[in-house]
Amino acid sequence: MLSPIHQINALFIFFALILGPAMADVIRSVDEQTGLLSWRMQEGDFELKVTQLLPDQTRAFFLARGFSKETANTIATGCIMQTIGSNSADKDAHGAVDVDLKRWRMLHNGSEGPIKPKEQWDSEWPAGKVSDAARLAFRWATFPTQQDFAPGDYGWGMTSFGLLPGSYFDLKVVWSAGGVQKEAWIRGIQCAEER
Amino acid sequence: MMLQVLVRSMLLLLLSCSVAVSGEQSLMPYQGPQPAPDFELVDVDGGKHRLSDYRGKPLIINFWATWCPPCREEMPSMNRAWRKVKDEVSMLAVNVGEDEDTIFIFSADYPIDFPVLLDRSGAVIKQWPVKGLPTTFVLDRDGNIRYTAVGAREWDDDALLEIVKGL
C-alpha cells in the first residue's frame, strides 16, 4: 500500500501522462478602438503575438515604400499579420529562443502547408518590377525568417499567409529553446477583411 | 492626404502592438568579442563617417528606419542617452534605405542630436549580424562588438549606460 505522499505523486504522474505535454496559453483579444483581432501565445519564455492588419493599411504602407499599386495590392490581399516574437526570460538567464518561419505550418480548409516567407515574395518580383528601395523596405518590414532571441530580445514584422481577406486558418508555431524543439497551435486565426 | 492618413493609422496600429520592455534593460553579450565590420557612410548633411574613426570611446550603433515602430519608440531614449553620456560614449544611428528628406521630416517629431548615417542601398547592414530592426550594437574602445540588443530598449537607463561606459 502506497503512503499518502506516494499516492499523490502517482496521481500527478497519472494525470500528466493522460493530459500530455503542457499546452501553450493562447489568448484572443479585440482592440477596442480598431476592432482588430490579436492572438497571443506564451509557453515558457517564448511569447508570440499575431495581430490582424487591414488590407488598406498594408496597401498604404507599401505604396509609401515605393511599391506599385498592383504589387501593393497583391501583398495587402495576401493575409498579412503583424507579428511580434519575444524571449521574456530574465536578462541574466542563458539560452536563446530560436524561431525559424520555415518550420511553421498553417492549416486551411483541411490542407496543411508552409507560410509565405519574405524570400518567396522576393522571388516573385523579377528585377525591374520592384525598385531596390521598395525591396529593401519589404525585407526589413517583414518578420525575420530565422532569428535567435536572447533574453530580453524581441522581434517584429509582418508575416504573410497567402490567403484571401476574411479567411480562417490554424497556425502551428515552431521554435527551439535550450536545444529542444517545441510547437503549439493557434487555432482560428482570421485574416482581416476589407473595410 | 488619404494615403497619409492610412499610413499614419498603420504606424499607430503597429506601435500599439509593441511588447512592453522589462524594467531592467538587457544587453546580450556578443560571442567574441568580434571586430565590427568597418564602413564609410555619409550623414544627413553629406559629411563622411568611417566607423574605425570612432575608436577610442565606446560606441552605440543603432540600425533603424523611420517606418519601424519600435525604432520610433526608442529614439527619444537614445537621444536622452546621448545627452547624458556624449562626452564618454559615441552614438550613431544608421538609417536603412531612406533619404535625408525623410529623416528630416521624422526628426521634427523625434529629434536626433547624434549623427544619423544613410545606408541607402542596405549594403552596410548586410555586413552586420542584423536580422530585424531595430538592432543595436555596443562596441568597445577598440571597435569590437561586445553587446547586442534586438528590439527597443530604454537607452538612457543608468545601469545600462554604466555597462557601456565601462567598455
Side-chain angles (χ1 to χ4, degrees), chain B residues 135-157:
Chain B
T135 297
T136 307
F137 299 90
V138 183
L139 278 54
D140 63 24
R141 293 157 207 272
D142 299 320
N144 298 306
I145 301 175
R146 300 296 299 276
Y147 291 95
T148 62
V150 176
R153 298 292 190 275
E154 291 293 328
W155 287 99
D156 57 336
D157 178 84

Side-chain angles (χ1 to χ4, degrees), chain A residues 3-190:
Chain A
S3 69
I5 290 291
H6 286 112
Q7 287 177 25
I8 293 169
N9 284 341
L11 271 173
F12 275 126
I13 292 168
F14 172 72
F15 281 116
L17 284 172
I18 62 169
L19 290 175
M23 303 278 287
D25 295 324
V26 179
I27 299 171
R28 177 182 174 277
S29 60
V30 182
D31 185 289
E32 285 179 6
Q33 289 182 328
T34 64
L36 294 174
L37 298 172
S38 292
W39 293 265
R40 188 175 195 135
M41 181 212 85
Q42 179 170 9
E43 187 177 318
D45 296 326
F46 180 54
E47 291 184 30
L48 184 81
K49 185 175 181 183
V50 178
T51 302
Q52 289 179 326
L53 287 173
L54 292 174
D56 250 358
Q57 290 169 316
T58 307
R59 265 183 213 102
F61 181 84
F62 285 109
L63 280 171
R65 306 281 81 76
F67 281 82
S68 67
K69 275 188 190 173
E70 179 197 354
T71 307
N73 186 59
T74 302
I75 299 170
T77 53
C79 189
I80 305 296
M81 297 274 181
Q82 174 65 348
T83 304
I84 303 173
S86 67
N87 182 342
S88 56
D90 182 80
K91 70 179 179 66
D92 295 320
H94 295 285
V97 171
D98 173 38
V99 176
D100 188 338
L101 298 187
K102 296 192 296 297
R103 294 187 286 179
W104 289 16
R105 289 295 180 266
M106 47 185 286
L107 181 64
H108 171 68
N109 282 348
S111 180
E112 187 174 309
I115 73 170
K116 189 170 182 179
K118 66 180 83 183
E119 291 80 5
Q120 186 176 342
W121 282 104
D122 195 69
S123 71
E124 292 174 3
W125 303 322
K129 184 175 172 70
V130 170
S131 71
D132 289 345
R135 202 183 289 261
L136 188 65
F138 183 88
R139 177 184 171 173
W140 294 108
T142 41
F143 195 87
T145 301
Q146 187 281 323
Q147 178 135 27
D148 294 331
F149 295 98
D153 281 349
Y154 72 89
W156 75 282
M158 299 182 212
T159 47
S160 57
F161 299 92
L163 300 175
L164 292 173
S167 299
Y168 285 86
F169 65 99
D170 300 333
L171 178 64
K172 183 164 81 174
V173 180
V174 183
W175 71 100
S176 297
V180 177
Q181 180 168 306
K182 303 187 179 193
E183 57 187 55
W185 282 94
I186 303 176
R187 304 282 183 188
I189 298 177
Q190 186 189 15

